[in-house]
Amino acid sequence: VAPTRRLGVAAFVEEEGSRFGRACLGSRLAVGATTWEAARELTDREGVRLGDVIEGGTSSLLEGVVTYVELHVEQGRGLIDLDAPVGVHDAIWPHGRYRYDIAGRADHAGTTRMEDRADPMLTYAMTALAANKQARLSGQRATFGRIDVRPNGTNAVPSHVTAWLDARAESDDAL
């Protein structure tokens, strides 16, 4: 095959935002939606900066590009349910990441009566169940995939819960 136009191939980093917390980071940098100056300051859970892990700078990756096509590996059942080996789409579902900080009061699990507790884990659990229910009822997606509990002891009522919700929907309104 001799293409009539130049072809470029790119592998973007951090598209799911799993380490540095910014979804579609590589794509955002490529199209100029995020600057390298802002991206390099992003930190992971241990405080490591993105700029200390990879080199970056001004990108001309899409300069002169007439058509952009992103190839994506299907990670769900979509193609199986359609009995299709390949799918073509022209959009991606809107995607949101939300952080919940739920305060409570640390107490001893063995001595504090249930009615005397201010347990943020219960609020988190109810929030996770509600998000799951609403996503199922509306055909959307909601996932609490990360949670930080303080003091994180088996015999302690937590003082604080931080949880991150990944939500995806067919439209901004549905999200």
Side-chain angles (χ1 to χ4, degrees):
V1 173
T4 58
R5 297 178 189 218
R6 291 182 333 177
L7 295 177
V9 177
F12 295 129
V13 299
E14 197 63 9
E15 288 302 278
E16 290 290 336
S18 57
R19 181 171 179 188
F20 292 96
R22 179 76 47 89
C24 301
L25 181 57
S27 300
R28 289 174 194 255
L29 286 165
V31 300
T34 297
T35 65
W36 173 244
E37 289 73 26
R40 73 176 171 214
E41 299 303 321
L42 295 172
T43 58
D44 66 11
R45 294 180 207 178
E46 284 76 41
V48 175
R49 289 176 356 131
L50 176 67
D52 294 335
V53 177
I54 63 171
E55 288 186 34
T58 305
S59 171
S60 60
L61 180 65
L62 296 180
E63 186 176 315
V65 170
V66 176
T67 302
Y68 169 79
V69 177
E70 180 178 346
L71 302 178
H72 190 80
V73 175
E74 173 63 40
Q75 298 171 342
R77 295 190 43 90
L79 294 176
I80 293 170
D81 293 343
L82 294 171
D83 194 27
V86 176
V88 177
H89 294 273
D90 62 0
I92 187 170
W93 274 18
H95 179 206
R97 296 242 169 110
Y98 307 93
R99 176 178 157 168
Y100 290 77
D101 285 299
I102 307 166
R105 185 181 61 250
D107 277 311
H108 191 283
T111 59
T112 307
R113 297 182 317 165
M114 297 304 285
E115 59 269 23
D116 293 337
R117 296 177 183 203
D119 188 345
M121 186 61 82
L122 298 178
T123 303
Y124 160 71
M126 291 171 39
T127 303
L129 289 170
N132 181 286
K133 179 180 179 181
Q134 291 305 311
R136 287 175 183 268
L137 289 173
S138 61
Q140 311 306 315
R141 311 285 187 273
T143 306
F144 277 98
R146 182 174 157 206
I147 182 171
D148 181 44
V149 180
R150 302 295 164 109
N152 203 23
T154 304
N155 64 339
V157 176
S159 62
H160 195 91
V161 173
T162 301
W164 289 262
L165 171 66
D166 179 298
R168 302 170 191 226
E170 59 196 18
S171 69
D172 286 327
D173 290 340
L175 182 61

